[in-house]
Amino acid sequence: MDLLIKNGTIIKAEESFVGDIAVSGGKIVCIGTGLTMQAEQTVDATGMLVLPGALDVHTHLAMPFGGTVSADGYLSGTRAAACGGVTTVFDYPLQRKGQGIIETVEARKKMCDPEACVDYAFHCCITDLNGGAVLDEFQDAVSYGITSFKCFLVYKKEGMMVDDGTLVKVLLKAKAAGAITNIHAENPDLIDMNIEQFKNEGKLSAWYHYLSRPEFVEAEADKRAVHWATSVDAPLYIVHMADKEGLTAAAAAKAKGYDIYIETCPQYLEFTCDVYKREDGRNFVCSPPIKGQESQDALWDAIKSGMIDTVATDHCPFQSYEKDWGKDDFTKIPNGCAGIENLYPYMLSAANEDKITFNRAVALCATNPAKIFGCPSKGSLTVGKDADIVIYDPKKDVTISVQNMHSDYDHTIWEGKMVHGYPIQTYVRGKLVYDNGKFVGEPGFGQYIKREPRK
Ligand code: URP
Ligand code: ZN
Ligand code: ZN
């Protein structure tokens, strides 16, 4: 046996119990009580929680965006992931006009492979169908392990937006190929109209980022995506849900039995749009923007009720000097914030404070994302699965600061946030990659996860 973790409280999505976990060859081979086998390494987890590693299914590493490239590459992003208990990272390569899907993903895989400190997978953003050639490639992409395609309903000027016709073609083709369509939902015309008006009025502070894309701007696109997905009966995954009205519409369709999944992010659960009134409001600029209290309350209700399926980060940090480009003009602020290292500690802290159960935190951050996105070896402490394991001290309080994070960015929206309880060790396929505040893994150890098609 390579590793024996003894006497911890094992947390699964459906139950918790005190027990031992035995690991061999990177897999969980036995779970029980009073296990006595010889192991190369034995860890006493008395008083600790033992959790499955999280899957952060929404990140943008080394992403060209907003006139620059996001501040975490594959090495620093996956290193930070390891230190926050995330053992699988999903990135979003962007297919561009004239490019194929596999060509797009392979270029990113080449970059990621030598650098990945944890396991990794890719969704692929579709921005252009190349006269239909891209749709014809869906089946091959699924065989390659890409079982989710993303459409942006915004970012028109950036050349990333798709129209409704393209969206419906993607929905249908993805379903036929055994894949799912992910959607960034905001209405671009409303945003452009608002921006033009605010520019004419000289209203250019970060607060106007929020006012140019308020609740109803996101809600319209959420509802439109739900409308098309239900009309053609195709699976849909709405990323970074942030508004109450869109959430309510998606939840209603889910309740009727449609194959719809909802993701939100910690920044929408922690902050409200008031952050955009702060002197450093530009640092919180992301799209969709953080909404008002009513939306935040609705998101928490849906987390508790199970209507929200996953929490992921939308990790897309930029350096302070880049955020400063928009000090006097919010339209020049690169959109995106950091979060990869904070996801699991934040959701587990919510559990530690009895806002949700630990089982629910595990479901949201590990078990559900693994199921939705076709990773049968991930997301749960179960015999036969990968030994992606987090040992968590529920009594260790940590104040988040850029100084104690493991990314390459120079500021974080989470600065000063105290979380109650913290991961003390992270194992990826049985290998220790994080130990008490220190990254101890190896770039290149992370493996590409070839995902399974949907049944
Ligand atoms: O502001 C954000 N979210 N930046 C990353 C790209 C996206 O829309 O997810
Ligand atoms: Zn987005
Ligand atoms: Zn994103």
Side-chain angles (χ1 to χ4, degrees), residues 185 215-226 236 238-256 260-265 268-269 288 291-311 360 364:
E215 278 75 349
F216 59 85
V217 165
E218 183 181 334
E220 184 280 333
D222 288 325
K223 289 174 169 175
R224 184 156 36 100
V226 168
L236 177 73
I238 303 179
V239 304
H240 50 43
M241 176 70 80
D243 77 290
K244 180 180 176 179
E245 193 182 334
L247 171 65
T248 307
K254 258 171 95 73
K256 281 189 193 152
I260 291 180
Y261 304 90
I262 307 171
E263 168 197 284
T264 194
C265 313
Y268 303 119
L269 297 170
K291 305 297 199 300
Q293 191 63 57
E294 225 187 302
S295 283
Q296 188 185 93
D297 293 344
L299 291 171
W300 273 112
D301 287 346
I303 289 264
K304 289 173 192 167
S305 73
M307 266 302 162
I308 286 182
D309 298 282
T310 65
V311 181
R360 184 100 197 99
L364 288 160

Short mmCIF file of all heavy atoms in Angstrom, two decimals, residues 185 215-226 236 238-256 260-265 268-269 288 291-311 360 364:
data_model
loop_
_atom_site.label_atom_id
_atom_site.label_comp_id
_atom_site.label_asym_id
_atom_site.label_seq_id
_atom_site.Cartn_x
_atom_site.Cartn_y
_atom_site.Cartn_z
N ALA A 185 -24.14 33.99 -20.52
CA ALA A 185 -25.37 34.67 -20.91
C ALA A 185 -25.39 36.14 -20.47
O ALA A 185 -25.44 36.44 -19.28
CB ALA A 185 -26.56 33.93 -20.28
N GLU A 215 -28.90 43.38 -13.66
CA GLU A 215 -29.59 42.09 -13.56
C GLU A 215 -30.34 41.71 -14.85
O GLU A 215 -30.20 40.61 -15.36
CB GLU A 215 -30.58 42.11 -12.38
CG GLU A 215 -29.98 41.84 -11.01
CD GLU A 215 -29.16 42.98 -10.42
OE1 GLU A 215 -28.85 43.98 -11.13
OE2 GLU A 215 -28.81 42.87 -9.23
N PHE A 216 -31.14 42.65 -15.39
CA PHE A 216 -32.00 42.26 -16.52
C PHE A 216 -31.22 41.98 -17.80
O PHE A 216 -31.70 41.29 -18.70
CB PHE A 216 -33.12 43.30 -16.76
CG PHE A 216 -32.62 44.70 -17.06
CD1 PHE A 216 -32.27 45.06 -18.35
CD2 PHE A 216 -32.52 45.65 -16.06
CE1 PHE A 216 -31.83 46.35 -18.64
CE2 PHE A 216 -32.08 46.94 -16.33
CZ PHE A 216 -31.73 47.29 -17.62
N VAL A 217 -30.01 42.52 -17.89
CA VAL A 217 -29.17 42.27 -19.07
C VAL A 217 -28.71 40.80 -19.08
O VAL A 217 -28.68 40.14 -20.13
CB VAL A 217 -27.96 43.23 -19.09
CG1 VAL A 217 -26.90 42.77 -20.08
CG2 VAL A 217 -28.43 44.64 -19.45
N GLU A 218 -28.38 40.29 -17.91
CA GLU A 218 -28.02 38.87 -17.82
C GLU A 218 -29.28 38.01 -17.93
O GLU A 218 -29.28 36.97 -18.63
CB GLU A 218 -27.29 38.58 -16.50
CG GLU A 218 -26.83 37.13 -16.40
CD GLU A 218 -26.14 36.79 -15.09
OE1 GLU A 218 -25.56 37.69 -14.44
OE2 GLU A 218 -26.17 35.61 -14.71
N ALA A 219 -30.35 38.44 -17.27
CA ALA A 219 -31.58 37.62 -17.22
C ALA A 219 -32.12 37.33 -18.61
O ALA A 219 -32.55 36.21 -18.91
CB ALA A 219 -32.63 38.31 -16.36
N GLU A 220 -32.11 38.36 -19.49
CA GLU A 220 -32.65 38.16 -20.84
C GLU A 220 -31.91 37.01 -21.54
O GLU A 220 -32.53 36.15 -22.16
CB GLU A 220 -32.50 39.46 -21.66
CG GLU A 220 -33.13 39.39 -23.06
CD GLU A 220 -32.28 38.68 -24.12
OE1 GLU A 220 -31.03 38.67 -23.99
OE2 GLU A 220 -32.87 38.14 -25.06
N ALA A 221 -30.59 37.02 -21.42
CA ALA A 221 -29.80 36.00 -22.12
C ALA A 221 -29.92 34.63 -21.45
O ALA A 221 -29.92 33.60 -22.13
CB ALA A 221 -28.35 36.45 -22.22
N ASP A 222 -30.01 34.62 -20.13
CA ASP A 222 -30.25 33.33 -19.44
C ASP A 222 -31.55 32.71 -19.96
O ASP A 222 -31.61 31.53 -20.30
CB ASP A 222 -30.42 33.54 -17.92
CG ASP A 222 -29.13 33.88 -17.21
OD1 ASP A 222 -28.07 33.34 -17.60
OD2 ASP A 222 -29.18 34.67 -16.25
N LYS A 223 -32.58 33.56 -20.03
CA LYS A 223 -33.90 33.05 -20.45
C LYS A 223 -33.89 32.61 -21.90
O LYS A 223 -34.51 31.63 -22.27
CB LYS A 223 -34.96 34.14 -20.26
CG LYS A 223 -35.30 34.41 -18.80
CD LYS A 223 -36.23 35.59 -18.75
CE LYS A 223 -36.84 35.81 -17.41
NZ LYS A 223 -37.66 37.03 -17.40
N ARG A 224 -33.14 33.36 -22.72
CA ARG A 224 -33.05 33.01 -24.14
C ARG A 224 -32.34 31.65 -24.28
O ARG A 224 -32.79 30.78 -25.05
CB ARG A 224 -32.28 34.12 -24.88
CG ARG A 224 -32.19 33.95 -26.36
CD ARG A 224 -31.95 35.27 -27.09
NE ARG A 224 -31.10 36.21 -26.37
CZ ARG A 224 -29.80 36.42 -26.62
NH1 ARG A 224 -29.19 35.76 -27.58
NH2 ARG A 224 -29.11 37.30 -25.93
N ALA A 225 -31.27 31.48 -23.55
CA ALA A 225 -30.54 30.20 -23.63
C ALA A 225 -31.45 29.05 -23.16
O ALA A 225 -31.50 27.99 -23.79
CB ALA A 225 -29.28 30.26 -22.77
N VAL A 226 -32.18 29.28 -22.07
CA VAL A 226 -33.10 28.25 -21.56
C VAL A 226 -34.18 27.99 -22.60
O VAL A 226 -34.55 26.83 -22.87
CB VAL A 226 -33.71 28.69 -20.21
CG1 VAL A 226 -34.87 27.79 -19.81
CG2 VAL A 226 -32.64 28.69 -19.12
N LEU A 236 -27.93 21.84 -21.41
CA LEU A 236 -27.39 23.20 -21.27
C LEU A 236 -26.77 23.37 -19.89
O LEU A 236 -27.34 22.93 -18.90
CB LEU A 236 -28.55 24.21 -21.43
CG LEU A 236 -28.21 25.69 -21.25
CD1 LEU A 236 -27.43 26.20 -22.46
CD2 LEU A 236 -29.49 26.53 -21.08
N ILE A 238 -25.33 26.53 -17.70
CA ILE A 238 -25.17 27.99 -17.66
C ILE A 238 -24.02 28.31 -16.70
O ILE A 238 -24.08 27.97 -15.51
CB ILE A 238 -26.46 28.69 -17.21
CG1 ILE A 238 -27.62 28.29 -18.15
CG2 ILE A 238 -26.28 30.21 -17.19
CD1 ILE A 238 -28.96 28.90 -17.80
N VAL A 239 -22.98 28.96 -17.25
CA VAL A 239 -21.81 29.27 -16.41
C VAL A 239 -22.07 30.56 -15.63
O VAL A 239 -22.95 31.35 -15.97
CB VAL A 239 -20.50 29.39 -17.24
CG1 VAL A 239 -20.24 28.14 -18.05
CG2 VAL A 239 -20.50 30.63 -18.13
N HIS A 240 -21.32 30.74 -14.61
CA HIS A 240 -21.32 31.93 -13.73
C HIS A 240 -22.68 32.64 -13.62
O HIS A 240 -22.78 33.84 -13.87
CB HIS A 240 -20.20 32.91 -14.07
CG HIS A 240 -20.01 33.33 -15.49
ND1 HIS A 240 -21.04 33.66 -16.32
CD2 HIS A 240 -18.86 33.51 -16.21
CE1 HIS A 240 -20.55 34.02 -17.49
NE2 HIS A 240 -19.23 33.93 -17.45
N MET A 241 -23.71 31.90 -13.21
CA MET A 241 -25.04 32.50 -12.97
C MET A 241 -24.92 33.51 -11.82
O MET A 241 -24.39 33.20 -10.76
CB MET A 241 -26.02 31.40 -12.60
CG MET A 241 -27.40 31.89 -12.24
SD MET A 241 -28.32 32.54 -13.65
CE MET A 241 -28.90 31.03 -14.42
N ALA A 242 -25.44 34.73 -12.07
CA ALA A 242 -25.27 35.77 -11.05
C ALA A 242 -26.55 36.54 -10.74
O ALA A 242 -26.54 37.37 -9.84
CB ALA A 242 -24.16 36.74 -11.49
N ASP A 243 -27.63 36.29 -11.48
CA ASP A 243 -28.83 37.11 -11.25
C ASP A 243 -30.05 36.26 -10.91
O ASP A 243 -30.20 35.13 -11.38
CB ASP A 243 -29.14 37.96 -12.50
CG ASP A 243 -29.78 37.12 -13.59
OD1 ASP A 243 -29.07 36.27 -14.18
OD2 ASP A 243 -30.99 37.26 -13.83
N LYS A 244 -30.93 36.84 -10.11
CA LYS A 244 -32.09 36.11 -9.58
C LYS A 244 -33.09 35.73 -10.68
O LYS A 244 -33.60 34.61 -10.71
CB LYS A 244 -32.78 36.98 -8.52
CG LYS A 244 -33.99 36.30 -7.91
CD LYS A 244 -34.65 37.18 -6.87
CE LYS A 244 -35.92 36.52 -6.33
NZ LYS A 244 -36.57 37.33 -5.31
N GLU A 245 -33.35 36.68 -11.59
CA GLU A 245 -34.40 36.43 -12.60
C GLU A 245 -34.00 35.27 -13.55
O GLU A 245 -34.80 34.38 -13.83
CB GLU A 245 -34.63 37.72 -13.39
CG GLU A 245 -35.88 37.71 -14.23
CD GLU A 245 -36.02 39.01 -15.04
OE1 GLU A 245 -35.49 40.06 -14.63
OE2 GLU A 245 -36.66 38.95 -16.10
N GLY A 246 -32.76 35.30 -13.98
CA GLY A 246 -32.27 34.22 -14.86
C GLY A 246 -32.23 32.90 -14.12
O GLY A 246 -32.59 31.84 -14.66
N LEU A 247 -31.77 32.96 -12.88
CA LEU A 247 -31.71 31.76 -12.04
C LEU A 247 -33.10 31.14 -11.89
O LEU A 247 -33.27 29.92 -12.01
CB LEU A 247 -31.13 32.14 -10.67
CG LEU A 247 -31.17 31.09 -9.57
CD1 LEU A 247 -30.27 29.91 -9.93
CD2 LEU A 247 -30.72 31.69 -8.23
N THR A 248 -34.08 31.98 -11.64
CA THR A 248 -35.45 31.49 -11.44
C THR A 248 -35.96 30.79 -12.70
O THR A 248 -36.58 29.72 -12.63
CB THR A 248 -36.38 32.68 -11.07
OG1 THR A 248 -35.79 33.35 -9.95
CG2 THR A 248 -37.77 32.21 -10.69
N ALA A 249 -35.66 31.38 -13.86
CA ALA A 249 -36.11 30.78 -15.13
C ALA A 249 -35.41 29.44 -15.37
O ALA A 249 -36.05 28.45 -15.77
CB ALA A 249 -35.82 31.74 -16.28
N ALA A 250 -34.11 29.40 -15.12
CA ALA A 250 -33.37 28.15 -15.33
C ALA A 250 -33.85 27.08 -14.34
O ALA A 250 -34.01 25.91 -14.70
CB ALA A 250 -31.87 28.40 -15.19
N ALA A 251 -34.07 27.50 -13.10
CA ALA A 251 -34.53 26.55 -12.07
C ALA A 251 -35.91 25.99 -12.43
O ALA A 251 -36.18 24.80 -12.21
CB ALA A 251 -34.54 27.23 -10.70
N ALA A 252 -36.77 26.84 -12.99
CA ALA A 252 -38.12 26.38 -13.36
C ALA A 252 -38.02 25.31 -14.45
O ALA A 252 -38.73 24.29 -14.41
CB ALA A 252 -38.97 27.55 -13.82
N ALA A 253 -37.13 25.53 -15.43
CA ALA A 253 -36.96 24.53 -16.50
C ALA A 253 -36.37 23.24 -15.95
O ALA A 253 -36.79 22.14 -16.32
CB ALA A 253 -36.07 25.11 -17.60
N LYS A 254 -35.42 23.38 -15.04
CA LYS A 254 -34.84 22.19 -14.38
C LYS A 254 -35.92 21.40 -13.65
O LYS A 254 -35.98 20.18 -13.74
CB LYS A 254 -33.83 22.65 -13.33
CG LYS A 254 -32.40 22.56 -13.70
CD LYS A 254 -31.56 23.25 -12.64
CE LYS A 254 -31.04 22.27 -11.61
NZ LYS A 254 -29.97 21.41 -12.12
N ALA A 255 -36.76 22.14 -12.94
CA ALA A 255 -37.81 21.50 -12.15
C ALA A 255 -38.79 20.73 -13.05
O ALA A 255 -39.40 19.76 -12.62
CB ALA A 255 -38.54 22.53 -11.30
N LYS A 256 -38.91 21.19 -14.30
CA LYS A 256 -39.80 20.47 -15.24
C LYS A 256 -39.10 19.25 -15.84
O LYS A 256 -39.69 18.53 -16.64
CB LYS A 256 -40.20 21.41 -16.39
CG LYS A 256 -41.29 22.39 -16.02
CD LYS A 256 -41.77 23.11 -17.29
CE LYS A 256 -42.61 24.31 -16.92
NZ LYS A 256 -42.55 25.36 -17.95
N ILE A 260 -30.79 20.74 -17.62
CA ILE A 260 -30.16 22.06 -17.46
C ILE A 260 -29.37 22.07 -16.15
O ILE A 260 -29.85 21.57 -15.13
CB ILE A 260 -31.23 23.17 -17.46
CG1 ILE A 260 -31.82 23.27 -18.87
CG2 ILE A 260 -30.66 24.51 -17.00
CD1 ILE A 260 -32.88 24.31 -19.04
N TYR A 261 -28.18 22.63 -16.21
CA TYR A 261 -27.31 22.69 -15.04
C TYR A 261 -26.91 24.14 -14.81
O TYR A 261 -26.76 24.92 -15.76
CB TYR A 261 -26.05 21.83 -15.26
CG TYR A 261 -26.43 20.40 -15.59
CD1 TYR A 261 -26.62 20.00 -16.91
CD2 TYR A 261 -26.66 19.47 -14.58
CE1 TYR A 261 -27.02 18.71 -17.22
CE2 TYR A 261 -27.06 18.17 -14.88
CZ TYR A 261 -27.23 17.80 -16.20
OH TYR A 261 -27.64 16.53 -16.51
N ILE A 262 -26.74 24.49 -13.55
CA ILE A 262 -26.43 25.88 -13.19
C ILE A 262 -25.16 25.93 -12.35
O ILE A 262 -25.05 25.22 -11.34
CB ILE A 262 -27.60 26.52 -12.40
CG1 ILE A 262 -28.93 26.35 -13.16
CG2 ILE A 262 -27.31 27.99 -12.12
CD1 ILE A 262 -30.16 26.77 -12.34
N GLU A 263 -24.26 26.82 -12.78
CA GLU A 263 -23.01 27.06 -12.04
C GLU A 263 -23.04 28.48 -11.50
O GLU A 263 -23.53 29.39 -12.17
CB GLU A 263 -21.84 26.92 -13.03
CG GLU A 263 -20.48 27.40 -12.52
CD GLU A 263 -19.51 27.61 -13.69
OE1 GLU A 263 -18.99 26.62 -14.23
OE2 GLU A 263 -19.27 28.78 -14.06
N THR A 264 -22.56 28.69 -10.29
CA THR A 264 -22.26 30.05 -9.86
C THR A 264 -20.82 30.09 -9.33
O THR A 264 -20.12 29.07 -9.35
CB THR A 264 -23.28 30.59 -8.84
OG1 THR A 264 -23.09 32.02 -8.73
CG2 THR A 264 -23.14 29.96 -7.47
N CYS A 265 -20.39 31.27 -8.90
CA CYS A 265 -18.99 31.44 -8.48
C CYS A 265 -18.95 32.12 -7.11
O CYS A 265 -19.85 32.91 -6.77
CB CYS A 265 -18.23 32.32 -9.47
SG CYS A 265 -18.44 31.89 -11.19
N TYR A 268 -19.87 35.88 -6.56
CA TYR A 268 -21.28 36.29 -6.57
C TYR A 268 -21.96 35.95 -5.24
O TYR A 268 -23.01 36.49 -4.92
CB TYR A 268 -22.02 35.61 -7.73
CG TYR A 268 -21.40 35.91 -9.07
CD1 TYR A 268 -20.89 34.90 -9.87
CD2 TYR A 268 -21.30 37.23 -9.53
CE1 TYR A 268 -20.29 35.18 -11.09
CE2 TYR A 268 -20.70 37.51 -10.74
CZ TYR A 268 -20.20 36.49 -11.52
OH TYR A 268 -19.61 36.77 -12.73
N LEU A 269 -21.35 35.02 -4.50
CA LEU A 269 -21.92 34.61 -3.21
C LEU A 269 -21.41 35.47 -2.07
O LEU A 269 -22.04 35.55 -1.02
CB LEU A 269 -21.56 33.14 -2.93
CG LEU A 269 -22.13 32.12 -3.92
CD1 LEU A 269 -21.50 30.74 -3.70
CD2 LEU A 269 -23.64 32.04 -3.80
N PRO A 288 -20.33 38.17 -16.12
CA PRO A 288 -21.25 39.22 -15.69
C PRO A 288 -20.78 39.86 -14.38
O PRO A 288 -20.10 39.20 -13.58
CB PRO A 288 -22.57 38.47 -15.47
CG PRO A 288 -22.25 37.03 -15.47
CD PRO A 288 -20.93 36.84 -16.09
N LYS A 291 -23.83 41.16 -8.70
CA LYS A 291 -25.15 41.80 -8.66
C LYS A 291 -25.54 42.25 -7.25
O LYS A 291 -24.72 42.24 -6.34
CB LYS A 291 -26.19 40.83 -9.22
CG LYS A 291 -25.89 40.30 -10.61
CD LYS A 291 -25.86 41.43 -11.64
CE LYS A 291 -26.03 40.96 -13.08
NZ LYS A 291 -24.98 40.03 -13.55
N GLY A 292 -26.82 42.64 -7.11
CA GLY A 292 -27.32 43.17 -5.83
C GLY A 292 -27.64 42.08 -4.81
O GLY A 292 -27.57 40.88 -5.10
N GLN A 293 -28.02 42.53 -3.61
CA GLN A 293 -28.27 41.62 -2.49
C GLN A 293 -29.35 40.58 -2.80
O GLN A 293 -29.25 39.41 -2.42
CB GLN A 293 -28.66 42.43 -1.24
CG GLN A 293 -28.69 41.62 0.04
CD GLN A 293 -27.32 41.07 0.41
OE1 GLN A 293 -26.36 41.81 0.55
NE2 GLN A 293 -27.23 39.75 0.53
N GLU A 294 -30.40 41.04 -3.52
CA GLU A 294 -31.50 40.12 -3.81
C GLU A 294 -31.02 38.92 -4.64
O GLU A 294 -31.42 37.77 -4.41
CB GLU A 294 -32.57 40.88 -4.61
CG GLU A 294 -33.98 40.63 -4.12
CD GLU A 294 -34.99 41.27 -5.07
OE1 GLU A 294 -34.91 42.49 -5.27
OE2 GLU A 294 -35.81 40.53 -5.62
N SER A 295 -30.17 39.21 -5.61
CA SER A 295 -29.62 38.12 -6.43
C SER A 295 -28.74 37.22 -5.58
O SER A 295 -28.80 35.99 -5.68
CB SER A 295 -28.83 38.68 -7.61
OG SER A 295 -29.71 39.13 -8.62
N GLN A 296 -27.91 37.84 -4.74
CA GLN A 296 -27.03 37.02 -3.91
C GLN A 296 -27.84 36.09 -3.00
O GLN A 296 -27.52 34.91 -2.84
CB GLN A 296 -26.10 37.89 -3.06
CG GLN A 296 -25.06 37.07 -2.34
CD GLN A 296 -24.22 37.89 -1.39
OE1 GLN A 296 -24.52 38.00 -0.20
NE2 GLN A 296 -23.18 38.50 -1.92
N ASP A 297 -28.90 36.62 -2.41
CA ASP A 297 -29.74 35.78 -1.53
C ASP A 297 -30.36 34.63 -2.32
O ASP A 297 -30.43 33.50 -1.84
CB ASP A 297 -30.86 36.62 -0.90
CG ASP A 297 -30.32 37.67 0.08
OD1 ASP A 297 -29.14 37.53 0.50
OD2 ASP A 297 -31.06 38.61 0.41
N ALA A 298 -30.79 34.93 -3.55
CA ALA A 298 -31.40 33.87 -4.39
C ALA A 298 -30.37 32.80 -4.73
O ALA A 298 -30.69 31.60 -4.76
CB ALA A 298 -31.97 34.49 -5.66
N LEU A 299 -29.12 33.22 -4.97
CA LEU A 299 -28.07 32.24 -5.28
C LEU A 299 -27.84 31.32 -4.09
O LEU A 299 -27.75 30.10 -4.23
CB LEU A 299 -26.77 32.95 -5.67
CG LEU A 299 -26.76 33.71 -7.00
CD1 LEU A 299 -25.49 34.54 -7.15
CD2 LEU A 299 -26.90 32.76 -8.20
N TRP A 300 -27.77 31.90 -2.89
CA TRP A 300 -27.57 31.06 -1.70
C TRP A 300 -28.76 30.12 -1.50
O TRP A 300 -28.58 28.94 -1.15
CB TRP A 300 -27.33 31.91 -0.44
CG TRP A 300 -25.89 32.28 -0.24
CD1 TRP A 300 -25.32 33.51 -0.32
CD2 TRP A 300 -24.80 31.37 0.05
NE1 TRP A 300 -23.97 33.44 -0.09
CE2 TRP A 300 -23.63 32.14 0.15
CE3 TRP A 300 -24.71 30.00 0.25
CZ2 TRP A 300 -22.38 31.58 0.43
CZ3 TRP A 300 -23.46 29.43 0.52
CH2 TRP A 300 -22.31 30.21 0.61
N ASP A 301 -29.97 30.61 -1.72
CA ASP A 301 -31.14 29.73 -1.58
C ASP A 301 -31.04 28.55 -2.54
O ASP A 301 -31.37 27.41 -2.19
CB ASP A 301 -32.45 30.51 -1.88
CG ASP A 301 -32.80 31.47 -0.75
OD1 ASP A 301 -32.20 31.34 0.34
OD2 ASP A 301 -33.65 32.36 -0.97
N ALA A 302 -30.59 28.84 -3.78
CA ALA A 302 -30.49 27.78 -4.79
C ALA A 302 -29.33 26.83 -4.49
O ALA A 302 -29.37 25.64 -4.83
CB ALA A 302 -30.34 28.38 -6.18
N ILE A 303 -28.29 27.34 -3.84
CA ILE A 303 -27.18 26.47 -3.38
C ILE A 303 -27.75 25.49 -2.35
O ILE A 303 -27.47 24.29 -2.38
CB ILE A 303 -26.08 27.35 -2.71
CG1 ILE A 303 -25.33 28.17 -3.74
CG2 ILE A 303 -25.16 26.53 -1.82
CD1 ILE A 303 -24.06 27.61 -4.24
N LYS A 304 -28.54 26.03 -1.43
CA LYS A 304 -29.06 25.19 -0.33
C LYS A 304 -30.09 24.19 -0.84
O LYS A 304 -30.14 23.06 -0.38
CB LYS A 304 -29.69 26.09 0.74
CG LYS A 304 -28.65 26.87 1.52
CD LYS A 304 -29.30 27.87 2.45
CE LYS A 304 -28.25 28.83 2.97
NZ LYS A 304 -28.79 30.01 3.64
N SER A 305 -30.92 24.61 -1.80
CA SER A 305 -31.99 23.73 -2.27
C SER A 305 -31.51 22.68 -3.27
O SER A 305 -32.22 21.73 -3.57
CB SER A 305 -33.09 24.56 -2.94
OG SER A 305 -32.63 25.02 -4.20
N GLY A 306 -30.30 22.89 -3.79
CA GLY A 306 -29.80 21.94 -4.79
C GLY A 306 -30.09 22.38 -6.22
O GLY A 306 -29.75 21.67 -7.17
N MET A 307 -30.71 23.53 -6.41
CA MET A 307 -30.99 24.01 -7.77
C MET A 307 -29.70 24.40 -8.48
O MET A 307 -29.57 24.24 -9.69
CB MET A 307 -31.95 25.21 -7.74
CG MET A 307 -33.38 24.83 -7.90
SD MET A 307 -33.67 23.94 -9.43
CE MET A 307 -35.24 23.18 -9.09
N ILE A 308 -28.76 24.97 -7.73
CA ILE A 308 -27.43 25.22 -8.31
C ILE A 308 -26.63 23.92 -8.19
O ILE A 308 -26.62 23.28 -7.13
CB ILE A 308 -26.74 26.40 -7.61
CG1 ILE A 308 -27.41 27.71 -8.08
CG2 ILE A 308 -25.23 26.41 -7.87
CD1 ILE A 308 -26.84 28.98 -7.54
N ASP A 309 -26.02 23.54 -9.31
CA ASP A 309 -25.34 22.24 -9.36
C ASP A 309 -23.88 22.32 -8.99
O ASP A 309 -23.33 21.38 -8.43
CB ASP A 309 -25.44 21.67 -10.79
CG ASP A 309 -26.88 21.45 -11.19
OD1 ASP A 309 -27.47 20.45 -10.75
OD2 ASP A 309 -27.45 22.31 -11.90
N THR A 310 -23.24 23.43 -9.40
CA THR A 310 -21.79 23.51 -9.22
C THR A 310 -21.38 24.92 -8.79
O THR A 310 -22.06 25.90 -9.11
CB THR A 310 -21.02 23.20 -10.54
OG1 THR A 310 -21.33 24.21 -11.49
CG2 THR A 310 -21.39 21.85 -11.10
N VAL A 311 -20.25 24.98 -8.10
CA VAL A 311 -19.60 26.27 -7.86
C VAL A 311 -18.19 26.15 -8.44
O VAL A 311 -17.47 25.20 -8.14
CB VAL A 311 -19.55 26.64 -6.36
CG1 VAL A 311 -18.90 28.01 -6.17
CG2 VAL A 311 -20.96 26.65 -5.76
N ARG A 360 -22.86 18.96 1.04
CA ARG A 360 -23.31 19.83 -0.06
C ARG A 360 -22.10 20.53 -0.71
O ARG A 360 -22.03 20.66 -1.93
CB ARG A 360 -24.32 20.83 0.48
CG ARG A 360 -24.94 21.71 -0.55
CD ARG A 360 -26.34 21.24 -0.98
NE ARG A 360 -26.70 21.89 -2.23
CZ ARG A 360 -26.58 21.32 -3.41
NH1 ARG A 360 -26.19 20.08 -3.56
NH2 ARG A 360 -26.88 21.97 -4.50
N LEU A 364 -21.15 20.21 -4.63
CA LEU A 364 -21.04 21.38 -5.52
C LEU A 364 -19.66 21.51 -6.17
O LEU A 364 -19.56 21.94 -7.32
CB LEU A 364 -21.31 22.66 -4.71
CG LEU A 364 -22.76 22.91 -4.28
CD1 LEU A 364 -22.80 23.88 -3.11
CD2 LEU A 364 -23.58 23.42 -5.45
#
